[in-house]
């Protein structure tokens, strides 16, 4: 199987992870020999509700009995899609009540970029250095590092960069700026938290010059940081909100969300200003509704905050650990010796833990376990991690 994988499945690097999955259940992935591994990556914040959750499984099967794709997005009235849009409008603040469903996070980014330019009539988009918003050409153009973008050049024009948490850089946001796109917590930079009032300052600057604020909650949303959405703890409301990853409950689903006033820019002059065939697939929307049900009934946001404290208390005092950053169950374990990063992750695998690192941080271990873990699971994870660190 592995040799066929390497030969026939397009590779993203010369050193793929190569873990051979036989099945998955709860917080565990099983290899071909049936050995269990605790999934501490959640598919990079996708499998936040674990694997094969019975509520999500039932919702998928129920929808499967009704119908799958019937017509390109935005034409037919489909119950699971409409119910999910209603759910989002109920959960989000006023002015975030109109949802455009897509297939992925990168597609949500692309749609938001088009929407911001169309609505404002402006050209320039500001992004933060060391941010990751996806790998399609528009999303790739938002990256600040030449190494990753060199092969895709020329990039989409009109992109400028600012430093995350730099108040001085906010002067670069001007009346030429259509939108500023940023993560409420920078994920691939190694879980970098916003400094106090930084996001409010960005929003205020956007309002001053008439630019839109786009918040990318693709990694941070759906309870990952101890609140339903990370922006709730920052006293801000974006003009456009982006969701994906865990939003689909394990199936492909993304969204960009705005007010009806902003969103109608894509439906007029000309109509069909943005299109997708499979966006908001009824199966994915049914799965997403089930994910929200789990989040609320099992109080997973509160659990994430409690388990964050337990994990930090157990791990932060180890001699190999410089600091633990993050909120809820979106954490980065920064090491004192960066050279130990890959050996420690490998030792964790030998001890039954699947962990990872970050695109733009070679000093930290990513810890994004499923939100359904409990205190005894965290105790076991800490035992295995401490053994690996030792």
């Amino acid at each position: 199987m592995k040799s066929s994988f390497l030969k026939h499945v397009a590779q993203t690097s010369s050193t793929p992870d190569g873990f051979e999955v036989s099945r998955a259940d709860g917080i565990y992935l099983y290899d071909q020999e049936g050995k269990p591994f605790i999934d501490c990556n959640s598919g990079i914040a996708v499998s936040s509700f674990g694997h094969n959750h019975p509520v999500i499984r039932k919702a998928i099967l129920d929808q499967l009995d009704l119908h799958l794709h019937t017509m390109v997005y935005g034409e037919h009235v489909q119950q699971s899609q409409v119910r999910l849009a209603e759910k989002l409008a109920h959960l989000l603040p006023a002015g975030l009540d109109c949802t455009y469903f897509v297939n992925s996070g990168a597609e949500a980014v692309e749609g938001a970029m088009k929407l911001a330019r169309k609505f404002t009539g402006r050209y320039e988009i500001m992004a933060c250095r060391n941010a990751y918003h996806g790998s399609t050409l528009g999303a790739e153009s938002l990256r600040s590092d030449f190494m990753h973008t060199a092969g895709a050049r020329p990039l989409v024009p009109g992109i400028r960069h600012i430093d995350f948490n730099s108040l001085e850089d906010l002067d670069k946001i001007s009346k030429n700026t259509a939108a500023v796109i940023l993560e409420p917590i920078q994920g691939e930079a190694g879980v970098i938290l916003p400094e106090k009032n930084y996001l409010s300052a960005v929003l205020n600057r956007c309002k001053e010059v008439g630019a839109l604020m786009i918040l990318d909650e693709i990694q941070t949303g759906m309870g990952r940081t101890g609140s339903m959405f990370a922006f709730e703890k920052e006293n801000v409301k974006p003009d456009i909100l982006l969701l994906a990853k865990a939003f689909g409950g394990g199936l492909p689903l993304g969204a960009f969300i705005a007010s009806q006033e902003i969103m109608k820019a894509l439906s007029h002059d000309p109509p069909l200003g943005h299109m997708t065939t499979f966006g908001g697939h009824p199966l994915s929307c049914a799965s997403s509704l089930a994910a929200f049900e789990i989040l609320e009934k099992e109080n997973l946001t509160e659990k994430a905050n409690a388990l964050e404290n337990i994990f930090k208390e157990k791990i932060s005092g180890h001699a190999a650990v410089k600091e633990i950053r993050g909120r809820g169950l979106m954490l980065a374990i920064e090491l004192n010796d960066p050279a130990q990063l890959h050996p420690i992750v490998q030792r964790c695998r030998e001890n039954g833990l699947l962990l990872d690192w970050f695109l733009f941080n070679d000093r930290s271990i990513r810890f994004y376990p499923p939100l359904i873990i409990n205190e005894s699971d965290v105790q076991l994870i800490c035992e295995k991690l401490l053994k690996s660190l030792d």
Side-chain angles (χ1 to χ4, degrees), residues 375-389:
E375 186 172 342
S376 62
D377 296 326
V378 172
Q379 298 285 1
L380 178 59
I381 289 168
C382 289
E383 289 175 16
K384 291 176 177 289
L385 179 54
L386 288 169
K387 180 180 179 182
S388 304
L389 289 168

Side-chain angles (χ1 to χ4, degrees), residues 318-332:
H318 193 281
V321 175
K322 182 177 181 180
E323 69 168 335
I324 301 177
R325 290 184 305 277
R327 287 185 189 150
L329 291 173
M330 182 179 181
L331 300 173

Side-chain angles (χ1 to χ4, degrees), residues 94 163 294 339 368:
D163 286 330
I294 296 163
Y368 289 12

